[in-house]
């Protein structure tokens, strides 16, 4: 029998609530979330129990940060990239964020972080692809050539992983402000 499994994430910027509900459902079936993983979660077979999950974003979180959640009944499970923190608690525990204004603050902060990375990457990507047609010129081919093409594709990849979350968090904030 399989003791661990990987569950793919829909992307925290797009489907955080769905992901967390899925993890809760799986914990009731004995699949307990053990850590955040690239593009998903690692679960281990264990005792079935009704758990709820929450994600919070805090760069360089200290002991006081985690103690605050522990006092509120939340167990820290895992941290990814030094600022995405996954917590679990028994069903019925008060949510980490209890009012709409703090939820908006949470996503606004994430939107700003992603935007700071996405905007320069967007400009670099556009510049590199605008320079590409010039690479047919002899003098530009020496400068730009294959390295420029590789850099263009790398910048597109970085743009996807910063720009898409930026748009996702922006959409969440807009929806929360309308409701």
């Amino acid at each position: 029998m399989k003791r661990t499994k990987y569950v793919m994430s829909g992307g925290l910027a797009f489907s955080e609530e769905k992901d967390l509900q899925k993890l809760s459902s799986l914990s009731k079936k004995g699949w307990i979330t053990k850590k955040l993983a690239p593009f998903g979660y690692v679960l281990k077979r264990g005792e079935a129990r009704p758990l709820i999950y929450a994600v919070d974003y805090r760069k360089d979180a200290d002991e006081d940060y985690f103690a605050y959640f522990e006092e509120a009944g939340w167990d820290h499970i895992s941290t990814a990239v030094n600022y995405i923190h996954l917590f679990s608690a028994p069903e019925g525990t008060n949510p980490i964020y209890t009012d709409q204004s703090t939820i908006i603050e949470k996503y606004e902060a994430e939107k700003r972080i992603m935007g700071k990375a996405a905007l320069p990457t967007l400009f670099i990507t556009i510049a590199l692809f605008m320079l590409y047609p010039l690479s047919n010129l002899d003098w530009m081919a020496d400068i730009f050539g294959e390295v420029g093409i590789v850099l263009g594709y790398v910048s597109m990849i970085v743009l996807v992983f910063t720009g898409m979350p930026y748009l996702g968090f922006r959409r969440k904030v807009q929806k929360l402000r309308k409701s």
Side-chain angles (χ1 to χ4, degrees):
M1 177 192 269
K2 208 171 172 184
R3 302 293 302 156
T4 63
K5 75 177 179 176
Y6 173 85
V7 174
M8 192 145 183
S9 172
L12 292 174
F14 301 99
S15 68
E16 179 182 318
E17 297 82 13
K18 249 187 198 176
D19 281 6
L20 300 177
Q21 288 172 354
K22 184 176 189 173
L23 296 177
S24 291
S25 174
L26 289 167
S27 74
K28 291 175 184 173
K29 298 174 183 173
W31 287 103
I32 309 303
T33 306
K34 291 298 174 189
K35 71 178 187 173
L36 290 159
F39 310 109
Y41 312 90
V42 173
L43 287 69
K44 287 193 177 182
R45 177 58 89 182
E47 181 182 327
R49 49 191 165 152
L51 295 172
I52 56 174
Y53 292 89
V55 171
D56 194 41
Y57 308 93
R58 172 78 52 100
K59 190 167 178 84
D60 299 318
D62 59 13
E63 289 179 27
D64 292 339
Y65 171 81
F66 293 112
Y68 172 80
F69 287 99
E70 192 174 324
E71 286 176 25
W74 291 90
D75 295 321
H76 176 247
I77 296 173
S78 178
T79 296
V81 292
N82 197 32
Y83 84 101
I84 302 171
H85 309 285
L86 181 63
F87 297 91
S88 71
E91 276 187 353
T93 304
N94 288 332
I96 290 174
Y97 293 96
T98 56
D99 62 271
Q100 191 166 339
S101 65
T102 57
I103 296 170
I104 290 172
E105 284 177 30
K106 168 186 168 180
Y107 293 128
E108 273 288 350
E110 274 309 289
K111 182 183 89 168
R112 275 191 303 278
I113 290 168
M114 290 296 124
K116 284 180 183 178
L119 190 60
T121 306
L122 174 63
F123 290 136
I124 290 167
T125 303
I126 290 170
L128 287 169
F129 281 94
M130 287 178 71
L131 288 173
Y132 177 72
L134 296 176
S135 68
N136 290 333
L137 303 172
D138 289 338
W139 64 273
M140 190 63 160
D142 293 338
I143 298 169
F144 194 69
E146 293 176 11
V147 172
I149 294 169
V150 170
L151 289 175
Y153 285 114
V154 168
S155 69
M156 278 183 17
I157 292 167
V158 172
L159 183 60
V160 166
F161 287 102
T162 57
M164 294 299 289
Y166 168 79
L167 294 173
F169 288 121
R170 182 176 176 197
R171 184 169 179 238
K172 278 185 178 191
V173 168
Q174 287 174 338
K175 277 185 174 183
L176 286 165
R177 286 196 170 132
K178 287 180 184 178
S179 60

